[in-house]
Amino acid sequence: MCGIVGYCGPRQASDVLLRGLARLEYRGYDSAGMTVLGDEGITTLRRVGKLHHLAEAVAAEPPTGTIGIGHTRWATHGRPTEENAHPHADCTGSVAVVHNGIIENYLDLREELGASGHVLRSETDTETVSHLVESYYEGSISYAVARAVKRLHGSYALAVMHADEPGTIVVARQDSPLIVGVGEGESIIASDIPVVLEYTREVLVLEDGDVATVTAGGVVVHGADGAVREPERMHVEWDLEAAEKGGFETFMLKEIHEQPSAIRNTLRGRMGADGAIQLSELAMTEAEIAAIERIVIIACGTSYHAGVIAKTLIEQWARIPVEVDVSSEFRYRDPIVDARTLVVAITQSGETADTLAGVREARQSGAKAFAVTNVVGSRVTRESDGVIYTHAGPEIGVAATKTFTAQAAALMVLALKLAQAKGTLERERVESLWEEISRIPEIVEAILGSSGDIEACAREYTGVASSLFLGRGIGVPVAMEGALKLKEISYIHAEAYPAGEMKHGPIALITDDVPVVVVATQGHTYEKVVSNMQEVRARGAHVIAVATFGDDEICKHAEHVLYVPRTSEAVSAIPAVVPLQLLAYHIAALRGCNVDQPRNLAKSVTVE
Ligand code: AGP
């Protein structure tokens, strides 16, 4: 999605904007631009392509000034061209606007503005905002923006400047993230936290409907009702290193290796001294939990796979029926949910449009909706009845890794909490499961510490065009996640199936150039999985198996075995997925793919 940076303070704005936009590159973009306001008035530079093109333009013609706004654009309306790049101006060139989101009524606005003499030069929805602000400007940019946003339908995070008000940037948000870092005599506006960390740890989180006037001296926020309000202020613990690569060649590899701490931090404090699982965020009495008749999990992509893991665990431990639905289907199926349904929305970004819409749909139907998210202050935290945070820290790589295993850990806590409340697990059983879950971080550390052979295995498969991932039981979502990782970063087609499904069609795909990855860790269907491996190998497939240390039989049925420490089946999903993350990573890296920013993908899908 698009990235926004704004600055007002003592520094040269162009430097701050370029550094800030660089920290947002992971969001995916196709053009970039900035507007700086200085003694010579407004200077706007925009370039198609990667950020270095803009940096070259800035170096060639440095815009001087200590206030400015910058933008990286991920095209939604209008092709990736310089004309469509942000910032966008009004007819006079006095207004500059950057935007993240979608103005759904922009065609009507373009028609209205054109009819009143405005000349719009781009294909974008955003440019309508510049001209609306122009039409409402009577000497106060804050007033003009407040009037303009009332005409907008859809989602927006906006930063707006006016040539006649050199000390002010006005920001507004609706359904699209925006924060303001408050420093010493300077303010930094951003779409995401890593941008502000080198200047300040104090962050204001804006709400939907807010219009904020930002100056070097501070921020004045007007809420949706027009009244001044005190915004939520956060002290951000993440240091810049946490958003840097930390010695790894890519964010993704760093984040794969951060999984032990991400899981540990997510589990921290979840078991009370009295043996009760601590999940106060659930904000439900034991009686309310006991009254839950079914659970519906909604999510997209990798988060959906975490939901499938949760289904297995909640049904096994708490004996509550669970359905898992992709958010984009749930929101349009007129879902059957009511006060007896608990809806769990899993979204690491907390900004995924389909999942947010699903939460709204569920709550309108009377269900309680809880979010599992990684981002404090994200949109889903405002739309839900409660939030269970994963504490994975910022995930910059587009491919989800540590947020996935942190989600799985958080969902294990949820499943145990529900089981305790329903009384379906004895205290001893809860304690022994908790004991095992608490050991997962060190198990993952062991896997990461002995993963040297995975790159060698990956080297044999960089040239394949297609692959299959198989599993049974809790191995199915692991296979699904392994397939998604491979396809999204290496661009090799990869498809996951329950291993028992092979005979019903997919086995027709097997030839010696379609490798089959099989999750064959110890479990009650292990023998069945081995049979499936024999079936595909008999037809020429090369098999890569994820298996448990001590299993000396499995190597007879596979070209490669990626071993993981033994755990009970119920908690085996996290250990089993780590080798598949690394396999996908190394294949993609060996193919020269841009692992952190795969083509066509964005880290947060904030539009439908
Ligand atoms: C996973 O690697 C992808 N980044 C993508 O499938 C992602 O999981 C999906 O877009 C959901 O994002 P969310 O968890 O932020 O809602």
Side-chain angles (χ1 to χ4, degrees):
M1 271 333 294
C2 302
I4 289 174
V5 180
Y7 178 74
C8 29
R11 308 170 201 253
Q12 277 305 308
S14 58
D15 299 341
V16 177
L17 297 178
L18 280 174
R19 290 172 67 85
L21 292 176
R23 295 222 187 288
L24 293 176
E25 283 194 279
Y26 71 84
R27 299 163 70 91
Y29 68 101
D30 43 53
S31 58
M34 68 167 70
T35 291
V36 172
L37 184 49
D39 297 342
E40 308 86 57
I42 267 190
T43 304
T44 294
L45 295 168
R46 299 181 299 181
R47 290 293 183 276
V48 178
K50 288 302 181 191
L51 195 55
H52 68 81
H53 296 299
L54 179 64
E56 287 152 13
V58 169
E61 185 191 350
T64 54
T66 61
I67 180 168
I69 53 178
H71 188 264
T72 49
R73 179 173 183 250
W74 191 63
T76 52
H77 291 77
R79 295 155 298 130
T81 63
E82 191 166 317
E83 191 60 76
N84 287 334
H86 302 206
H88 285 287
D90 64 333
C91 300
T92 67
S94 303
V95 175
V97 175
V98 292
H99 166 228
N100 177 24
I102 288 186
I103 309 298
E104 292 173 3
N105 61 326
Y106 82 101
L107 291 174
D108 296 342
L109 292 171
R110 285 181 75 99
E111 194 175 330
E112 175 192 319
L113 290 160
S116 57
H118 288 268
V119 178
L120 280 77
R121 291 175 287 272
S122 77
E123 303 162 312
T124 68
D125 54 342
T126 304
E127 195 186 354
T128 58
V129 179
S130 318
H131 293 274
L132 274 177
V133 169
E134 176 190 8
S135 64
Y136 290 127
Y137 190 75
E138 298 166 357
S140 160
I141 187 64
S142 303
Y143 170 79
V145 172
R147 289 278 313 269
V149 297
K150 291 194 185 316
R151 302 290 313 281
L152 305 180
H153 303 158
S155 61
Y156 54 81
L158 295 168
V160 185
M161 288 166 53
H162 195 287
D164 296 345
E165 299 190 39
T168 301
I169 300 174
V170 179
V171 297
R173 77 155 280 177
Q174 179 66 44
D175 284 348
S176 196
L178 199 62
I179 59 172
V180 182
V182 180
E184 291 298 318
E186 58 186 0
S187 298
I188 305 95
I189 296 154
S191 300
D192 200 353
I193 287 177
V195 170
V196 307
L197 288 183
E198 63 182 286
Y199 307 100
T200 178
R201 295 177 186 284
E202 297 307 310
V203 169
L204 304 182
V205 180
L206 299 181
E207 299 271 353
D208 280 348
D210 281 351
V211 175
T213 303
V214 181
T215 62
V219 185
V220 175
V221 178
H222 286 82
D225 60 1
V228 175
R229 70 174 199 86
E230 269 310 303
E232 177 191 346
R233 190 179 183 110
M234 274 190 341
H235 178 81
V236 179
E237 294 301 333
W238 295 345
D239 62 21
L240 202 54
E241 285 310 304
E244 291 299 336
K245 298 174 185 173
F248 292 91
E249 56 268 32
T250 62
F251 283 121
M252 182 177 174
L253 190 58
K254 172 185 170 291
E255 287 151 5
I256 286 173
H257 284 264
E258 278 185 331
Q259 292 183 108
S261 62
I263 296 163
R264 195 172 287 118
N265 290 335
T266 299
L267 294 173
R268 198 183 305 281
R270 292 301 184 187
M271 173 57 84
D274 58 357
I277 296 290
Q278 304 298 307
L279 199 60
S280 56
E281 303 92 323
L282 205 51
M284 292 173 78
T285 64
E286 307 234 327
E288 285 172 325
I289 293 175
I292 297 169
E293 290 187 1
R294 60 197 264 273
I295 292 173
V296 175
I297 296 173
I298 59 174
C300 303
T302 287
S303 296
Y304 172 81
H305 301 153
V308 180
I309 291 172
K311 167 184 169 68
T312 304
L313 300 181
I314 294 172
E315 290 189 341
Q316 224 173 78
W317 294 344
R319 309 307 295 162
I320 302 172
V322 179
E323 291 163 42
V324 192
D325 214 341
V326 288
S327 307
S328 55
E329 288 299 304
F330 176 84
R331 66 181 289 195
Y332 290 118
R333 74 165 82 248
D334 190 11
I336 302 170
V337 294
D338 59 23
R340 293 161 299 173
T341 312
L342 175 64
V343 171
V344 178
I346 306 172
T347 166
Q348 77 82 18
S349 64
E351 301 292 347
T352 297
D354 286 323
T355 302
L356 291 170
V359 166
R360 292 182 199 117
E361 177 76 26
R363 299 186 74 209
Q364 280 158 14
S365 305
K368 272 193 184 290
F370 287 89
V372 177
T373 188
N374 191 54
V375 181
V376 176
S378 61
R379 178 109 200 82
V380 78
T381 62
R382 292 170 177 70
E383 301 260 347
S384 307
D385 295 295
V387 184
I388 301 169
Y389 281 114
T390 52
H391 297 287
E395 185 171 70
I396 308 300
V398 166
T401 50
K402 63 175 182 176
T403 56
F404 171 67
T405 48
Q407 286 170 346
L411 292 161
M412 288 177 187
V413 173
L414 174 62
L416 281 181
K417 174 68 180 177
L418 293 170
Q420 262 188 342
K422 302 275 279 192
T424 47
L425 287 182
E426 295 300 321
R427 178 187 175 117
E428 295 69 33
R429 175 72 174 135
V430 171
E431 287 173 354
S432 70
L433 282 169
W434 176 255
E435 176 57 35
E436 217 181 348
I437 290 168
S438 305
R439 281 203 306 272
I440 290 176
E442 65 200 57
I443 288 173
V444 173
E445 269 160 0
I447 295 168
L448 292 170
S450 60
S451 56
D453 56 339
I454 296 178
E455 184 170 359
C457 171
R459 212 173 284 285
E460 296 188 29
Y461 299 97
T462 54
V464 302
S466 186
S467 59
L468 283 179
F469 285 67
L470 306 179
R472 285 181 181 256
I474 207 158
V476 173
V478 174
M480 292 160 78
E481 178 56 14
L484 178 59
K485 286 287 107 31
L486 183 64
K487 74 180 89 169
E488 71 175 320
I489 63 174
S490 76
Y491 316 140
I492 292 172
H493 173 252
E495 211 167 344
Y497 274 98
E501 270 296 284
M502 284 301 284
K503 291 190 183 67
H504 302 280
I507 202 163
L509 292 173
I510 298 300
T511 64
D512 61 2
D513 54 6
V514 175
V516 180
V517 180
V518 184
V519 181
T521 45
Q522 290 305 315
H524 71 289
T525 55
Y526 171 78
E527 300 303 335
K528 302 286 183 195
V529 171
V530 171
S531 301
N532 296 130
M533 292 166 69
Q534 291 166 328
E535 285 161 12
V536 296
R537 289 196 89 207
R539 290 161 178 79
H542 293 261
V543 173
I544 301 166
V546 177
T548 309
F549 278 120
D551 179 352
D552 302 328
E553 284 302 301
I554 201 75
C555 51
K556 298 172 186 164
H557 311 295
E559 271 70 27
H560 300 275
V561 181
L562 309 178
Y563 282 104
V564 298
R566 180 166 192 142
T567 65
S568 64
E569 189 173 351
V571 300
S572 62
I574 294 178
V577 79
V578 175
L580 299 187
Q581 294 170 337
L582 288 167
L583 181 65
Y585 174 81
H586 287 301
I587 290 175
L590 289 166
R591 285 167 61 96
C593 297
N594 182 340
V595 170
D596 282 339
Q597 296 171 44
R599 68 186 181 204
N600 307 336
L601 296 181
K603 183 59 182 174
S604 177
V605 185
T606 57
V607 293
E608 278 196 61

